[in-house]
């Protein structure tokens, strides 16, 4: 094998790697855009995870470098549409670590951005505080918030 054929293989390998990365990025972007069509399913899943009704007006998703960013507008957790006993957020943006999610299999939060948070905090029966509209539960949530925020 000559030096010239070695450089040829190196260039072909780098070109293949570049094309593969572009293809993966395109597939990830397409998958993120599909998320918007699962409005009802996302509300049901979030309600099950939190143990209280969850609704939102708009869901959008995009990529921030290689990490997906999910934005919910008009988020309401707990209570009904006309009741003030709920946690309301005008806009919440979550940026997730794609690399950590692929390597660990768990959600990994990088950034959490809240705009227009409206909530009422009340003393809890067992001590501490709770947010009005969210159920008081002795169960631990299925999402480990401490581990999620530790990343």
């Amino acid at each position: 094998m000559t030096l010239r054929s070695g450089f040829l293989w190196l260039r072909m390998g780098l070109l293949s790697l570049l094309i593969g990365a572009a293809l993966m990025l395109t597939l990830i972007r397409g998958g993120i855009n599909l998320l918007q069509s699962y409005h009802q399913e996302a509300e049901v899943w979030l309600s099950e995870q939190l143990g209280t009704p969850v609704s939102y007006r708009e869901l959008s998703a995009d990529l921030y470098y290689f990490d997906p960013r999910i934005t919910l507008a008009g988020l309401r957790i707990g209570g009904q549409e006309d009741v003030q006993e709920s946690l309301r957020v005008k806009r919440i943006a979550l940026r997730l670590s794609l690399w950590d999610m692929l390597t660990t299999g768990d959600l990994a939060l990088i950034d959490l951005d809240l705009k227009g948070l409206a909530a009422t905090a009340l003393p809890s029966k067992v001590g501490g505080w709770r947010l009005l509209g969210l159920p008081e539960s002795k169960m631990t949530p299925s999402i480990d918030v401490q581990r999620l925020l530790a990343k």
Side-chain angles (χ1 to χ4, degrees):
M1 176 163 28
T2 66
L3 187 61
R4 186 175 210 161
S5 66
F7 281 127
L8 177 65
W9 282 108
L10 179 65
R11 285 186 295 196
M12 287 180 58
L14 289 175
L15 184 62
S16 298
L17 193 64
L18 183 65
I19 290 171
L23 182 62
M24 285 295 288
L25 189 59
T26 302
L27 291 173
I28 290 170
R29 285 185 188 274
I32 286 176
N33 288 334
L34 284 175
L35 184 64
Q36 298 170 14
S37 61
Y38 290 99
H39 183 101
Q40 191 70 27
E41 291 87 350
E43 282 183 349
V44 169
W45 183 81
L46 285 170
S47 297
E48 288 172 356
Q49 295 300 312
L50 296 175
T52 189
V54 175
S55 63
Y56 58 87
R57 188 179 67 250
E58 181 184 334
L59 169 71
S60 63
D62 60 350
L63 283 179
Y64 185 81
Y65 295 108
F66 291 106
D67 298 321
R69 182 174 46 196
I70 300 168
T71 304
L72 295 168
L75 178 66
R76 180 181 297 273
I77 302 174
Q80 299 296 324
E81 203 57 41
D82 57 345
V83 179
Q84 293 297 317
E85 293 185 0
S86 63
L87 181 128
R88 294 172 312 283
V89 180
K90 286 184 182 175
R91 186 177 138 305
I92 182 171
L94 305 162
R95 187 164 61 107
L96 306 170
S97 171
L98 183 62
W99 176 255
D100 288 343
M101 289 190 311
L102 290 175
T103 56
T104 65
D106 292 329
L107 284 176
L109 185 65
I110 295 174
D111 290 328
L112 173 67
D113 184 25
L114 291 170
K115 301 274 191 216
L117 175 65
T120 303
L122 298 173
S124 174
K125 293 177 185 173
V126 294
W129 295 88
R130 72 177 193 91
L131 294 175
L132 187 64
L134 296 181
E136 234 178 306
S137 174
K138 293 177 177 59
M139 290 178 22
T140 58
S142 59
I143 298 172
D144 187 358
V145 176
Q146 236 177 352
R147 191 180 68 194
L148 183 68
L149 295 176
K151 296 275 177 181

